[in-house]
Amino acid sequence: MTQTLEPEVATSTASPQDRAQRWLARFEAALAARDVAAATGLFATDSFWRDLVSFTWNIKTVEGREQIADMLGSRLADTDPSGFATSEPATEDGGVVSAFIEFETATGRGCGHLRLRADADTGEDQAWTLLTSLQELKGHEESQGFDRPRGAVHGSDPDTRSWAEKKADEDASLGRTRQPFVLVVGGGQGGIALGARLRQLGVPAIVIDRHERPGDQWRKRYKSLCLHDPVWYDHLPYLPFPPNWPVFAPKDKIGDWLEFYTKVMEVPYWSKTTCLSANYDEVAGAWTVEVDRDGERLTLYPQQLVLATGMSGKANVPDFPGQDVFAGDQHHSSRHPGPDGYVGKKVVVIGANNSAHDICKALVDNGIDTTMVQRSSTHIVKSDSLMEIGLGALYSEQAVADGMTTKKADLTFASLPYRIMHEFQIPLYDQIRERDKDFYDRLEAAGFDLDFGDDDSGLFMKYLRRGSGYYIDVGACELVADGTIKLAHGDVDHLTENSVVLADGTELPADVVVYATGYGSMNGWAADLMGQEVADRVGKVWGLGSDTTKDPGPWEGEQRNMWKPTQQPGLWFHGGNLHQSRHYSLYLALQLKARLEGIPTPVYGLQEVHHLR
């Protein structure tokens, strides 16, 4: 598509496509001239540029003209961007022009999203939000589409081994005669998605996990567990779920899919493998990692180490007086086996978020006397309302029918800067509160302590800020409202031989106590494997610095330490829900591939450490 500055058309009469093209042309001209001031002047005073690796070799949002100018002053020459164009016709809604874009840099090809608003004084279009994301590295493209591997050899071949024999030889050598460049610790959805990306990019890697089979992370959870996010939100890279896949997949079905995916995508996966320790050699720029693989002690020497243990760290198991005298069964929710063994017993569940509700519902469905202890307020949103109002425009069957692809949905979602995302969320949750008013009234009448987040922005912001404090209702709340799930409030003071005693003296008879008390920061795993010094060098993982509950400031603008370089060389964190595992695995894989190939990766805006845990 050819773009030109002339002739200029008044913003008020130009089409959205003409406006987007004109802005991109002016932007590219300023960048080509290395005129940082001119490029920065094309942005609104209150503007946001979110970059996923393409300019910054980081996941970084710069806010306002001063920060944008600083980033460009540091990175423009090396990045050498060009070829900015719309990838489909731009649209306009409410005075905002939106366009999906594509571009190139010195090292790769990218895509993104642009939002323009006309300046109130001059009428000139200015960028309000800009997303730029690296999609591939030049000379290191994935072998797909027209470049897919041939598979069969037509003609003579000096290598007479079959595909299966080559794969077996590769598996036998990796980690022994051939070291992985990347070791991924954690073989759940995050590790598997990243392993698939690395495989397609030709990065020698091993994904290790302590479970017997891929997918056991799901299979071994309580039997009633299902995904709370809908299928359109949950696809893995390269291989989407089939069109008849259930909207909310049961845990065992997800487990089987992950095992199938690992095999068909040829992810180098070591099951029954535990990481024992990891030490970094600053001089060699490599890790020494001790692992136990099904009873065999091995030493690996990867240059890059990825902790893909989910968005959460180690289980938070509270330390209450009397736990040593309690005569019944007590365990964290991550180890809850389901209701089958507890028929006829009294169960007390400490906590009132997702796991607590799921566990309580399964217990009472099996006729088990169950009490939920709510220690602080919880955000509740009905699954149907979340799907229709919160996700429907991007991730739904109707969105697909309207032409929304997973990639476009991911880019649209990623294009909203975290600084202003709550402003988009608040009206949605106001709508949900009005729609489900009777539902919320019944819950509050039952004594349930509700909230919608510190600023009424609802589930997504709670998830991004703290990763806890909410429940997507798939039926448990009606059981709380009608008293089937008993409800108690307050902190736990102590346990006796056969009860849980709350701070106000309330005594809850108990044969079983389930601690649905959440998880700590992911750097807790780093402390176990590498020592507290390394964990503290990295600092807290997850959160935005929003200065809201459990997300202390200062403002950081991106998820702390996720999918990007950390203060510990060679150490990365990867995880989150299925959506994040899919989307961000690309950017992490490209960063790792660049380092394998010796491509310079000067990081702009390396994460500072403000909180240790």
Side-chain angles (χ1 to χ4, degrees):
M1 177 181 301
T2 303
Q3 296 181 329
T4 177
L5 289 176
E6 301 294 343
E8 294 193 4
V9 181
T11 296
S12 59
T13 59
S15 70
Q17 176 66 8
D18 287 339
R19 292 169 64 183
Q21 285 182 296
R22 180 171 179 268
W23 188 92
L24 288 169
R26 297 176 67 194
F27 184 55
E28 180 169 348
L31 296 180
R34 302 297 188 259
D35 191 338
V36 171
T40 304
L42 294 170
F43 286 80
T45 303
D46 295 322
S47 54
F48 307 87
W49 182 345
R50 188 177 192 218
D51 181 64
L52 306 180
V53 183
S54 62
F55 277 69
T56 61
W57 290 107
N58 198 358
I59 293 179
K60 179 71 176 176
T61 299
V62 285
E63 303 180 1
R65 291 174 176 171
E66 183 176 344
Q67 290 186 18
I68 291 170
D70 185 79
M71 187 274 283
L72 284 176
S74 174
R75 296 295 309 129
L76 179 54
D78 284 350
T79 304
D80 192 22
S82 63
F84 284 88
T86 57
S87 54
E88 61 180 68
T91 60
E92 183 178 6
D93 183 29
V96 177
V97 171
S98 297
F100 291 101
I101 66 170
E102 56 192 15
F103 61 95
E104 294 190 10
T105 69
T107 56
R109 299 176 187 89
C111 66
H113 189 274
L114 170 69
R115 290 185 182 88
L116 300 174
R117 294 196 296 199
D119 180 80
D121 295 325
T122 66
E124 285 290 318
D125 278 321
Q126 295 180 323
W128 177 30
T129 70
L130 175 64
L131 170 72
T132 48
S133 69
L134 186 66
Q135 297 294 298
E136 61 182 6
L137 295 167
K138 293 178 179 176
H140 305 286
E141 296 82 359
E142 294 185 15
S143 299
Q144 57 178 279
F146 287 107
D147 298 320
R148 71 172 71 229
R150 193 169 184 82
V153 176
H154 294 170
S156 62
D157 184 1
D159 188 345
T160 60
R161 293 176 301 164
S162 68
W163 171 87
E165 290 170 331
K166 292 176 183 177
K167 184 69 166 59
D169 289 346
E170 178 189 332
D171 291 345
S173 67
L174 191 57
R176 298 180 187 275
T177 60
R178 186 168 66 100
Q179 287 296 314
F181 181 74
V182 179
L183 180 65
V184 182
V185 179
Q189 64 222 28
I192 289 170
L194 179 60
R197 298 276 196 191
L198 294 172
R199 177 75 177 181
Q200 297 308 304
L201 285 167
V203 178
I206 302 174
V207 179
I208 66 172
D209 194 272
R210 62 185 175 84
H211 290 96
E212 294 181 6
R213 297 160 55 195
D216 276 352
Q217 303 84 353
W218 287 87
R219 292 189 193 94
K220 294 187 176 182
R221 298 293 304 279
Y222 50 92
K223 73 176 187 178
S224 62
L225 177 63
C226 288
L227 282 179
H228 289 179
D229 296 322
V231 61
W232 309 278
Y233 189 71
D234 293 333
H235 296 301
L236 291 178
Y238 310 110
L239 194 61
F241 293 114
N244 61 345
W245 195 261
V247 174
F248 301 107
K251 70 177 183 75
D252 295 289
K253 196 169 180 68
I254 283 290
D256 289 347
W257 180 264
L258 291 174
E259 186 171 27
F260 156 79
Y261 183 91
T262 301
K263 188 174 184 64
V264 78
M265 294 303 299
E266 302 179 22
V267 176
Y269 193 101
W270 286 8
S271 58
K272 294 185 283 187
T273 302
T274 302
C275 185
L276 303 174
S277 66
N279 295 286
Y280 188 72
D281 186 328
E282 299 277 354
V283 176
W287 295 89
T288 300
V289 183
E290 300 290 335
V291 304
D292 182 319
R293 187 183 187 190
D294 197 17
E296 180 184 8
R297 188 77 170 254
L298 294 169
T299 304
L300 302 174
Y301 301 97
Q303 292 186 39
Q304 309 292 331
L305 183 61
V306 181
L307 294 187
T309 51
M311 58 160 279
S312 304
K314 298 165 63 178
N316 278 333
V317 181
D319 183 14
F320 296 135
Q323 286 176 319
D324 56 335
V325 302
F326 181 69
D329 178 13
Q330 52 183 323
H331 55 264
H332 189 264
S333 59
S334 59
R335 298 184 176 275
H336 183 66
D340 293 353
Y342 301 129
V343 174
K345 298 182 182 296
K346 294 182 183 295
V347 181
V348 174
V349 178
I350 311 297
N353 296 330
N354 260 335
S355 293
H357 278 84
D358 282 348
I359 289 169
C360 287
K361 182 179 185 300
L363 289 166
V364 300
D365 283 348
N366 284 268
I368 298 166
D369 185 313
T370 305
T371 301
M372 176 191 293
V373 178
Q374 186 179 29
R375 298 182 299 165
S376 59
S377 63
T378 307
H379 171 56
I380 304 290
V381 60
K382 296 182 75 171
S383 176
D384 287 348
S385 298
L386 178 63
M387 284 180 59
E388 293 174 28
I389 297 174
L391 289 171
L394 297 179
Y395 302 99
S396 67
E397 201 65 46
Q398 187 59 54
V400 173
D402 292 341
M404 180 60 70
T405 65
T406 302
K407 181 177 180 178
K408 286 168 60 176
D410 288 350
L411 288 173
T412 303
F413 193 75
S415 72
L416 283 176
Y418 291 130
R419 173 76 82 174
I420 60 173
M421 186 176 283
H422 66 284
E423 297 175 13
F424 289 80
Q425 294 294 309
I426 289 171
L428 300 181
Y429 284 90
D430 286 344
Q431 186 179 346
I432 288 172
R433 275 202 282 196
E434 181 61 31
R435 165 179 162 151
D436 297 327
K437 183 178 184 303
D438 291 344
F439 166 76
Y440 291 121
D441 287 347
R442 289 197 305 277
L443 268 179
E444 290 187 314
F448 195 85
D449 190 4
L450 285 168
D451 74 58
F452 277 76
D454 287 15
D455 53 5
D456 290 336
S457 58
L459 184 140
F460 281 122
M461 297 313 301
K462 263 203 166 187
Y463 174 75
L464 293 167
R465 291 164 173 171
R466 53 183 280 192
S468 64
Y470 52 83
Y471 169 57
I472 302 173
D473 179 45
V474 291
C477 286
E478 293 294 349
L479 300 174
V480 173
D482 68 15
T484 305
I485 296 173
K486 299 174 185 176
L487 186 63
H489 292 91
D491 292 325
V492 175
D493 185 77
H494 66 280
L495 275 64
T496 70
E497 184 178 357
N498 53 17
S499 69
V500 175
V501 181
L502 303 183
D504 65 359
T506 301
E507 187 167 1
L508 306 173
D511 302 302
V512 181
V513 178
V514 181
Y515 299 112
T517 45
Y519 300 84
S521 171
M522 283 176 70
N523 68 342
W525 296 117
D528 283 354
L529 297 177
M530 307 158 206
Q532 194 62 53
E533 181 181 348
V534 171
D536 289 348
R537 186 180 306 154
V538 170
K540 182 178 174 66
V541 181
W542 204 262
L544 305 173
S546 63
D547 207 23
T548 58
T549 304
K550 295 189 178 181
D551 184 28
W555 177 250
E556 303 190 41
E558 293 287 346
Q559 291 290 344
R560 294 185 187 94
N561 288 310
M562 291 297 293
W563 317 295
K564 58 185 178 180
T566 69
Q567 291 286 349
Q568 170 59 54
L571 180 62
W572 311 75
F573 293 86
H574 173 58
N577 57 31
L578 281 156
H579 157 84
Q580 291 170 310
S581 295
R582 171 188 69 247
H583 184 60
Y584 289 100
S585 59
L586 170 63
Y587 309 115
L588 177 50
L590 289 171
Q591 292 173 83
L592 295 169
K593 174 66 171 178
R595 284 161 173 79
L596 171 67
E597 299 299 339
I599 297 171
T601 56
V603 177
Y604 176 83
L606 183 65
Q607 176 93 52
E608 296 183 18
V609 177
H610 300 290
H611 308 282
L612 300 185
R613 295 171 184 84

